[in-house]
Amino acid sequence: MLYFVGAGLISGAVVHHPLDPARYTTIAVAGVGVFLAATVVNEFLLTKDRPPLGRALVVIGASLLLSFGIGMLSGGLQHFDDFPARGSVLVPLGIVVSFVAFVVKDAETPSRRVLSPLGLAVLLVAGGGYVGLSTLAAGMGTASEGGGHSHGGGAPENDEHRTPSEPSTSENGSTAPSGSRTPSGAPSAGTGADGGDGADTVPGHADDGHDH
C-alpha cells in the first residue's frame, strides 16, 4: 500500500508541477518519503537477510529512481489529454527510468543487463513511444487552434454610439447627461417664463434635482 500511495503522489506531482511548483514540490517530497518508507519496511524490516550498508544505499537510491520513473509513466498516461506535450516526454522517459531503476534495485539481476538486448528493446519502445505521442500531441494542438477566444490580441472596436451616461457640454459651459437636452432658450430653473417663481419648468424634470 505504501508503494502505491507513494507512486501515486509522485505521479500527480510530476505531471502537475508547472501549475503550482511550490505545492506540487511538497507533494512530491511527501510521495518520496512514503515510497522510501515502503522500501525500508520491505527490504530491511520484513526480510531475514539484511543487506550491507553499501547495498542498502544502492537499494534506497534505486527505489527513489523507480518511484519517479513510475510516477512519470503513470502521470503522463493519465493526464495526456490535459498536458499532451509534457506527457509525450514523461511517458517514454518514465519507461527508461523505471527499467534502469528496477534492474539496479534487484540484487539478483546484474547491472550490465541495462545494456543487454532487453535494454535495447526498452529503449526502442521508448523512442517509438516518444515519436508517436509527440505526433499525437501536435495533432491535438492543431485541432484546438481556432476554437478558443482571443483575449487581448485584437484591436479595440470603435464604439460610434455615445452611451446615455456620457456628459455633453451645453452652451453655457455646464455639463448634463446627453439623454436629457435642455431646449434652446428655455428659462433657467427657479424663474418662470413670465418672471415668476419657477412654475414653468422643463417638463419631466420638476423637482428631480437637476438644474437647467
Side-chain angles (χ1 to χ4, degrees):
M1 185 182 69
L2 291 175
Y3 272 129
F4 285 110
V5 171
L9 291 174
I10 294 173
S11 65
V14 168
V15 74
H16 293 109
H17 188 268
L19 300 179
D20 192 344
R23 175 185 177 186
Y24 288 108
T25 297
T26 303
I27 293 177
V29 171
V32 168
V34 174
F35 200 93
L36 289 180
T39 300
V40 171
V41 171
N42 187 59
E43 300 291 340
F44 302 104
L45 298 182
L46 299 181
T47 183
K48 296 180 180 180
D49 299 328
R50 297 180 181 178
L53 179 60
R55 181 60 192 171
L57 294 178
V58 171
V59 170
I60 292 175
S63 298
L64 181 60
L65 191 64
L66 180 62
S67 68
F68 273 95
I70 296 174
M72 287 187 286
L73 178 59
S74 62
L77 287 174
Q78 293 178 48
H79 297 280
F80 184 79
D81 288 342
D82 302 321
F83 308 97
R86 187 174 178 83
S88 63
V89 176
L90 290 177
V91 171
L93 186 60
I95 293 175
V96 175
V97 171
S98 298
F99 172 74
V100 173
F102 187 81
V103 171
V104 174
K105 182 177 180 293
D106 188 6
E108 299 179 358
T109 303
S111 299
R112 64 177 181 273
R113 194 171 184 181
V114 174
L115 303 177
S116 65
L118 178 60
L120 179 60
V122 171
L123 188 61
L124 290 176
V125 170
Y130 173 73
V131 173
L133 292 175
S134 297
T135 303
L136 182 59
M140 294 174 62
T142 303
S144 62
E145 290 180 358
H149 299 280
S150 176
H151 298 280
E157 298 180 357
N158 294 326
D159 188 3
E160 298 179 355
H161 302 282
R162 177 180 294 177
T163 58
S165 61
E166 292 182 358
S168 60
T169 305
S170 61
E171 295 180 357
N172 60 1
S174 61
T175 59
S178 60
S180 58
R181 299 182 178 178
T182 303
S184 177
S188 60
T191 304
D194 56 355
D197 57 355
D200 297 329
T201 58
V202 179
H205 293 278
D207 299 330
D208 62 354
H210 295 282
D211 293 334
H212 298 281

